[in-house]
Amino acid sequence: MSGLGKGITAASIGRILKNRGYGVTAVKIDPYLNIDAGTMNPGQHGEVFVLSDGGEVDLDLGNYERFLDIDLTSDHNITTGKIYRSVIEKERKGEYLGETVQIIPHITDEIKSCIRAAAHDATSGNGQADICLVEVGGTVGDIESMPFLEAVRQMRGELPDEDTLLIHVTLFPEDSMGDLKTKPTQHSVKALRELGLHADIIVGRGERPIGSQTKRKISAFCDLAQQGVISAATVPDIYQVPMEMEKEGIAEVLFQYLRLEPREADTRWYSLVSREYTNRVHVGIVSKYGVEDVYISIKEALKHAGRALSTEVKISWLDAERYEEPQLAEFDGILIPGGFGQRGLEGKIGALGYARTRRIPLLGLCLGFQLSVVEFSRNVLGWKDAISAEMGEGRHVIAILPEQEGVTDLGGTMRLGNYPVTLRENTLAMKIYGQKEIVERHRHRYEVNPEYIAEIEEGGMVFSGTWRNRMEICEIPDHPFFLATQFHPEFRSRPTRPSPPFMGFVDACRTRRSRR
Ligand code: GLN
């Protein structure tokens, strides 16, 4: 079921193999009819992750990129919508001429060929993978996931035994006596079996580790070797999961079943993600969403930077519509994330003004960048009616991108993915990136209105990153750290390569903390 940790489980297994020198890639299957996650409400489905090719995809791809340190493409997120679209397009072209087009074999064939194509995809400099992880979202027994599980069944039959491995992730709830219950697992294994699928490994998720007695029980009931029952109790930090699974001996099971040459693990990644903290900072994020899942990549990017600086980053989520300004003074830094629509707008602008005037480190991302310009226009330049064209009438210091004018379809039509940005010498941006030309991921429809750029700069705001006439980074000089970006640096942050704006921000938070 969703929210169980299938994505982290798959990513961790990938990491375990990658630490042994195997090339690993990953595919996420989302059994919904949307073509991609772009138009879905992040408050319900979690963050929309943006890939370098501009794909707006499920947040699990973010976990794969971070755990495996690879760049994925849109083709690595398969949805029911994409599969049906492609089959229907082929039908219209006459590719199935004479045939009755059906779920089996046409939809299942399409699923298999998409999985194969993604597995063999050696783009983005990842090289050819030895192993492809395929995460099937949803719950066994759901109507939506049936064609995907059937495709998996067929694929397992077509390939040699050692070329596929089925891992089933299940929940082990606790009863009032504190005992772990195996019934849900027994039932879902039965449901899988009815579909012709037999699990080789069961990863048991619960608040507590699964003991050997329970493992024995699962092994007997579910017809698999006891070593194939892997306990995966909740841990405080997701990056510990691969290490925990290593202790369960999963690597040996993988070697045996996939007939891989057993190799010693390179443990550098483990040392990196378990580095000790010597400092601590407290960051406030002002958002209109009640769920943290909306900003997973921001949370992770703060963690990556924090680890690199041996600083634990504690995050408080402030409701943009309800927080009180004096609350902000207690933070070592304030972050205004991306977003869409009017709700919580004035709260975010208020927080930006507070950070600017009280000299609190500030990082603004996308909408946070646009609102930094709005706040500055209102309160420094005195343009009281300054606003973004997305939000209403007034002086539009933020205007629609010219190429977006007349765009009516909402799916996949924003300015998306990788674009270059040129940095200006002697600026904070240049200092934190240490190079003049950078590339970052984007997802926006609006930009700083070119008509006002000169006046805003004369007023003292510096646009330190640009792409042609497009403003990409703004900063306030004579401030400990005030930097906002039109792009989303959080999507490129990795444990091994923390994002420069996040490094600069956490470092500034640390300085503020030490001075207090
Ligand atoms: N809503 C703004 C735009 O479309 C900002 C988007 C974002 O924060 N991702 O430009």
mmCIF file of all heavy atoms in Angstrom, residues 338-340 366-367 370 390 443-446 488, ligand 1:
data_model
loop_
_atom_site.group_PDB
_atom_site.id
_atom_site.type_symbol
_atom_site.label_atom_id
_atom_site.label_comp_id
_atom_site.label_asym_id
_atom_site.label_seq_id
_atom_site.Cartn_x
_atom_site.Cartn_y
_atom_site.Cartn_z
ATOM 1 N N GLY A 338 8.652 26.865 -3.247
ATOM 2 C CA GLY A 338 7.849 27.101 -4.434
ATOM 3 C C GLY A 338 6.377 26.839 -4.169
ATOM 4 O O GLY A 338 6.014 26.284 -3.132
ATOM 5 N N GLY A 339 5.546 27.251 -5.094
ATOM 6 C CA GLY A 339 4.123 27.011 -4.916
ATOM 7 C C GLY A 339 3.315 27.683 -6.009
ATOM 8 O O GLY A 339 3.857 28.374 -6.872
ATOM 9 N N PHE A 340 2.028 27.454 -5.961
ATOM 10 C CA PHE A 340 1.125 27.988 -6.977
ATOM 11 C C PHE A 340 -0.100 28.567 -6.280
ATOM 12 O O PHE A 340 -0.498 28.087 -5.218
ATOM 13 C CB PHE A 340 0.684 26.878 -7.930
ATOM 14 C CG PHE A 340 1.830 26.301 -8.703
ATOM 15 C CD1 PHE A 340 2.652 25.331 -8.146
ATOM 16 C CD2 PHE A 340 2.129 26.769 -9.976
ATOM 17 C CE1 PHE A 340 3.731 24.819 -8.838
ATOM 18 C CE2 PHE A 340 3.212 26.257 -10.676
ATOM 19 C CZ PHE A 340 4.008 25.283 -10.113
ATOM 20 N N CYS A 366 11.857 29.494 -6.313
ATOM 21 C CA CYS A 366 10.804 29.634 -7.324
ATOM 22 C C CYS A 366 9.756 30.672 -6.915
ATOM 23 O O CYS A 366 10.015 31.856 -7.024
ATOM 24 C CB CYS A 366 10.203 28.272 -7.652
ATOM 25 S SG CYS A 366 9.555 28.261 -9.333
ATOM 26 N N LEU A 367 8.599 30.230 -6.392
ATOM 27 C CA LEU A 367 7.633 31.240 -5.935
ATOM 28 C C LEU A 367 8.284 32.109 -4.851
ATOM 29 O O LEU A 367 8.043 33.311 -4.779
ATOM 30 C CB LEU A 367 6.371 30.563 -5.391
ATOM 31 C CG LEU A 367 5.271 31.525 -4.925
ATOM 32 C CD1 LEU A 367 4.745 32.372 -6.069
ATOM 33 C CD2 LEU A 367 4.118 30.765 -4.270
ATOM 34 N N GLN A 370 10.079 34.783 -6.656
ATOM 35 C CA GLN A 370 9.174 35.775 -7.238
ATOM 36 C C GLN A 370 8.618 36.698 -6.147
ATOM 37 O O GLN A 370 8.525 37.916 -6.334
ATOM 38 C CB GLN A 370 8.032 35.063 -7.976
ATOM 39 C CG GLN A 370 8.535 34.242 -9.159
ATOM 40 C CD GLN A 370 7.448 33.386 -9.805
ATOM 41 O OE1 GLN A 370 6.328 33.301 -9.312
ATOM 42 N NE2 GLN A 370 7.782 32.720 -10.906
ATOM 43 N N GLU A 390 0.162 36.117 -11.614
ATOM 44 C CA GLU A 390 -0.535 34.880 -11.259
ATOM 45 C C GLU A 390 -1.566 35.120 -10.156
ATOM 46 O O GLU A 390 -2.537 34.374 -10.028
ATOM 47 C CB GLU A 390 0.510 33.846 -10.771
ATOM 48 C CG GLU A 390 -0.053 32.479 -10.453
ATOM 49 C CD GLU A 390 0.994 31.520 -9.858
ATOM 50 O OE1 GLU A 390 2.176 31.900 -9.705
ATOM 51 O OE2 GLU A 390 0.617 30.377 -9.543
ATOM 52 N N ARG A 443 10.721 24.839 -13.010
ATOM 53 C CA ARG A 443 9.289 24.499 -13.146
ATOM 54 C C ARG A 443 8.487 25.757 -12.864
ATOM 55 O O ARG A 443 8.080 26.021 -11.729
ATOM 56 C CB ARG A 443 8.917 23.398 -12.149
ATOM 57 C CG ARG A 443 7.478 22.914 -12.329
ATOM 58 C CD ARG A 443 7.163 21.754 -11.405
ATOM 59 N NE ARG A 443 5.889 21.161 -11.720
ATOM 60 C CZ ARG A 443 4.879 21.076 -10.860
ATOM 61 N NH1 ARG A 443 4.995 21.549 -9.640
ATOM 62 N NH2 ARG A 443 3.746 20.509 -11.229
ATOM 63 N N HIS A 444 8.305 26.566 -13.890
ATOM 64 C CA HIS A 444 7.543 27.811 -13.671
ATOM 65 C C HIS A 444 6.884 28.320 -14.936
ATOM 66 O O HIS A 444 7.247 27.929 -16.048
ATOM 67 C CB HIS A 444 8.445 28.895 -13.062
ATOM 68 C CG HIS A 444 9.575 29.349 -13.956
ATOM 69 N ND1 HIS A 444 9.740 30.660 -14.319
ATOM 70 C CD2 HIS A 444 10.589 28.677 -14.545
ATOM 71 C CE1 HIS A 444 10.817 30.777 -15.092
ATOM 72 N NE2 HIS A 444 11.354 29.584 -15.240
ATOM 73 N N ARG A 445 5.927 29.219 -14.744
ATOM 74 C CA ARG A 445 5.192 29.835 -15.838
ATOM 75 C C ARG A 445 5.384 31.361 -15.835
ATOM 76 O O ARG A 445 5.057 32.039 -16.776
ATOM 77 C CB ARG A 445 3.696 29.538 -15.652
ATOM 78 C CG ARG A 445 3.031 28.911 -16.844
ATOM 79 C CD ARG A 445 1.569 28.645 -16.582
ATOM 80 N NE ARG A 445 1.288 27.270 -16.196
ATOM 81 C CZ ARG A 445 1.340 26.226 -17.025
ATOM 82 N NH1 ARG A 445 1.654 26.391 -18.281
ATOM 83 N NH2 ARG A 445 1.072 25.017 -16.585
ATOM 84 N N TYR A 446 5.912 31.880 -14.722
ATOM 85 C CA TYR A 446 6.054 33.336 -14.563
ATOM 86 C C TYR A 446 7.518 33.688 -14.365
ATOM 87 O O TYR A 446 8.340 32.839 -14.051
ATOM 88 C CB TYR A 446 5.200 33.812 -13.382
ATOM 89 C CG TYR A 446 3.722 33.615 -13.636
ATOM 90 C CD1 TYR A 446 3.105 32.384 -13.377
ATOM 91 C CD2 TYR A 446 2.951 34.637 -14.186
ATOM 92 C CE1 TYR A 446 1.753 32.182 -13.645
ATOM 93 C CE2 TYR A 446 1.600 34.447 -14.463
ATOM 94 C CZ TYR A 446 1.009 33.217 -14.194
ATOM 95 O OH TYR A 446 -0.321 33.022 -14.470
ATOM 96 N N HIS A 488 14.841 25.426 -9.116
ATOM 97 C CA HIS A 488 14.683 24.571 -7.927
ATOM 98 C C HIS A 488 15.979 23.806 -7.666
ATOM 99 O O HIS A 488 16.116 22.665 -8.129
ATOM 100 C CB HIS A 488 13.568 23.551 -8.157
ATOM 101 C CG HIS A 488 12.193 24.123 -8.197
ATOM 102 N ND1 HIS A 488 11.425 24.288 -7.066
ATOM 103 C CD2 HIS A 488 11.441 24.582 -9.228
ATOM 104 C CE1 HIS A 488 10.253 24.808 -7.398
ATOM 105 N NE2 HIS A 488 10.239 25.006 -8.706
HETATM 106 N N1 GLN B 1 3.657 29.714 -9.561
HETATM 107 C C1 GLN B 1 4.921 30.216 -9.977
HETATM 108 C C2 GLN B 1 5.133 30.086 -11.481
HETATM 109 O O1 GLN B 1 4.436 29.366 -12.137
HETATM 110 C C3 GLN B 1 6.032 29.522 -9.221
HETATM 111 C C4 GLN B 1 6.147 28.086 -9.556
HETATM 112 C C5 GLN B 1 6.908 27.311 -8.524
HETATM 113 O O2 GLN B 1 7.128 27.760 -7.411
HETATM 114 N N2 GLN B 1 7.285 26.099 -8.850
HETATM 115 O O3 GLN B 1 6.005 30.718 -12.038
#
